[in-house]
Amino acid sequence: MKITSTAVSLTVDDVPASAAFLTRHFGFQEVMAAEGFASLVREDAVNVIFLRRGIEVLPEGVRDRHAAGVITAFTVADLEAEYERLQSEGVPITMPLREEPWGERLFQVTDPNGVILQLVDWAAPGNR
């Protein structure tokens, strides 16, 4: 098997709101969109697909579920600068900047649909 790309698909109520959040604050580009669907890309990150909750392409048993319990994490080069930038843009910081005992430094934001995005770097480079 040769994998040519990777995407995370998240089910939300308002696809345009989540797509706009990632394009405005995280530099993603919307490459495809239709009613209840948006595909976003960024050269240095996993692709993100938003599907409207209830859309028929989802299996019937999960069609009405909302993306929950999922954290999409992005490792960044300057965590403090991203924290300051997102704060200045008015993005809700739902977990303030902190350091975990294992060396991970992180903070979390939440998009308009409740999707959690975590920005991360490592306090000790050897822990990656």
Side-chain angles (χ1 to χ4, degrees):
M1 168 176 37
K2 179 180 180 184
I3 296 173
T4 59
S5 68
T6 303
V8 59
S9 181
L10 303 167
T11 307
V12 298
D13 289 320
D14 186 346
V15 169
S18 284
F21 187 84
L22 275 189
T23 55
R24 178 174 181 211
H25 300 295
F26 286 81
F28 279 79
Q29 295 180 328
E30 189 175 272
V31 292
M32 287 185 277
E35 181 64 31
F37 167 84
S39 177
L40 293 95
V41 299
R42 187 182 155 123
E43 188 175 305
D44 58 353
V46 67
N47 298 343
V48 177
I49 296 170
F50 291 109
L51 295 171
R52 184 189 68 243
R53 192 162 55 119
I55 198 167
E56 297 77 28
V57 72
L58 294 168
E60 193 172 327
V62 299
R63 196 171 285 164
D64 291 321
R65 292 186 190 167
H66 180 275
V70 174
I71 296 173
T72 303
F74 300 113
T75 301
V76 297
D78 190 343
L79 191 64
E80 288 83 3
E82 294 302 327
Y83 188 79
E84 301 277 328
R85 179 185 65 81
L86 290 169
Q87 273 189 318
S88 73
E89 292 176 3
V91 172
I93 307 292
T94 49
M95 177 186 289
L97 186 60
R98 65 191 238 183
E99 184 173 325
E100 299 296 346
W102 51 87
E104 180 182 26
R105 296 178 339 118
L106 63 106
F107 70 93
Q108 294 176 351
V109 302
T110 303
D111 91 341
N113 282 290
V115 174
I116 299 169
L117 303 166
Q118 179 171 292
L119 281 78
V120 177
D121 76 1
W122 296 93
N127 290 341
R128 290 185 184 183

